[in-house]
Amino acid sequence: MRKYADLAIIGIKEHTAYLNSVWANFLAKIVYLYMQYALWTGLFSSNTGKNIPLSQDETIRYIIVATVISTFMECDVIAWINNQIQSGDVANQLIRPLGYRSMIFAKHIGTSIARIMIYTLPLGILISIFYHGELICREQLLYGFLSIILAYLIQFLYSLIIGQMAFWLIVTWPLNMLLAAIYKLLSGSWIPAAMFPRVLTVINMFLPFRAIYGIPVTLITTPMSYESICENIFIQLIWLAVLFLVSEAVWIVGKNKLVIQGG
């Protein structure tokens, strides 16, 4: 356990190594949140949003919470595995007396801790200063935290599956760019899932993306019945189990096909 804790510390140090990059990322998140706020406020003010299923207040709350969650939900696993395989360093990682995927997860935990301290908490403080409305549904906050943990694990497994495809493809960034755009849209990170057209909503029901942002953000910001809360958390548990099994299958087959370049 101590070795995994050390890996988490390494993840923290790597993310905070370049202070200029840290400040740039933090400012980018503030600008992104302001642009989202200005966009949706202008949309509702011009009456263009009169047919939107969510009210202005509901939409603004959703966008703010989704942006805050995204500050630590982001995952660098795909790029990290890609670099390991291209450099050939994955061979050294595989012979260590530690589980390869467990090492990746420990490092990811460390990176997430750094992001929470550097981005999430300061951004939350700024929001509490400038936004004076009721942001969260306090009665559902505990369920919301549980949902965020499940979403975090789902995000990691999804990224791990795509990253492990580098065992076949060697370079996965073109695939990652395509899937990242689809993921950002369908997960509800950019636009609330409740605003999707009927066809897109039906398609999204058979994909894991809404379990990453759509479900936890809705649980935190929107009052729901106990049955609806349980149903949404159950959906996340199902996708967590499915992605875990897929990840196991990809790992078993992929490590036998691993081609090492550069080492």
Side-chain angles (χ1 to χ4, degrees):
M1 185 61 68
R2 174 59 186 274
K3 293 180 180 179
Y4 291 116
D6 290 340
L7 286 169
I9 293 174
I10 290 174
I12 294 175
K13 290 181 177 179
E14 285 184 353
H15 191 76
T16 56
Y18 302 100
L19 291 180
N20 289 337
S21 176
V22 169
W23 279 108
N25 285 330
F26 181 61
L27 291 175
K29 295 178 189 306
I30 294 176
V31 171
Y32 172 78
L33 179 58
Y34 176 76
M35 289 177 62
Q36 283 279 68
Y37 178 83
L39 174 65
W40 288 104
T41 300
L43 186 65
F44 280 97
S45 298
S46 64
N47 292 324
T48 307
K50 60 183 179 181
N51 295 323
I52 293 178
L54 298 180
S55 67
Q56 178 176 351
D57 186 53
E58 289 172 332
T59 303
I60 296 300
R61 290 204 311 268
Y62 183 99
I63 293 302
I64 291 176
V65 172
T67 302
V68 171
I69 291 177
S70 71
T71 57
F72 63 85
M73 193 71 73
E74 297 172 356
C75 190
D76 300 327
V77 169
I78 298 174
W80 193 77
I81 295 178
N82 226 330
N83 292 334
Q84 289 276 309
I85 292 176
Q86 289 181 12
S87 66
D89 193 45
V90 66
N92 297 325
Q93 301 292 338
L94 289 173
I95 63 176
R96 289 185 177 183
L98 296 172
Y100 180 68
R101 293 171 297 169
S102 299
M103 289 191 293
I104 294 175
F105 184 65
K107 190 174 179 181
H108 177 52
I109 288 288
T111 302
S112 298
I113 292 173
R115 283 173 171 158
I116 289 173
M117 299 301 296
I118 297 172
Y119 306 135
T120 309
L121 294 180
L123 188 61
I125 293 173
L126 287 176
I127 291 170
S128 65
I129 294 174
F130 293 102
Y131 184 81
H132 303 293
E134 190 69 24
L135 190 60
I136 61 176
C137 184
R138 301 182 186 276
E139 295 78 9
Q140 297 173 189
L141 195 56
L142 184 61
Y143 297 111
F145 283 140
L146 173 60
S147 182
I148 288 175
I149 294 173
L150 294 175
Y152 183 84
L153 296 174
I154 292 171
Q155 164 75 304
F156 173 77
L157 287 174
Y158 165 76
S159 300
L160 184 62
I161 291 170
I162 303 303
Q164 290 175 159
M165 291 179 69
F167 292 165
W168 289 276
L169 303 176
I170 306 302
V171 177
T172 60
W173 67 263
L175 176 64
N176 184 34
M177 289 183 63
L178 173 63
L179 294 178
I182 297 174
Y183 152 76
K184 284 288 188 179
L185 173 63
L186 296 182
S187 67
S189 173
W190 288 342
I191 304 172
M195 296 183 179
F196 291 168
R198 176 64 180 170
V199 175
L200 200 57
T201 300
V202 172
I203 294 174
N204 208 20
M205 290 177 62
F206 299 96
L207 297 172
F209 301 122
R210 66 190 178 106
I212 300 174
Y213 283 102
I215 290 178
V217 175
T218 303
L219 277 174
I220 292 175
T221 59
T222 306
M224 303 170 64
S225 65
Y226 179 74
E227 291 75 14
S228 296
I229 293 173
C230 291
E231 178 183 347
N232 280 281
I233 291 179
F234 181 71
I235 290 172
Q236 287 184 296
L237 289 171
I238 291 295
W239 278 116
L240 184 62
V242 170
L243 292 178
F244 177 79
L245 294 176
V246 173
S247 175
E248 287 292 313
V250 173
W251 169 250
I252 292 172
V253 178
K255 68 179 179 178
N256 295 324
K257 293 181 175 291
L258 180 60
V259 177
I260 301 174
Q261 291 186 343

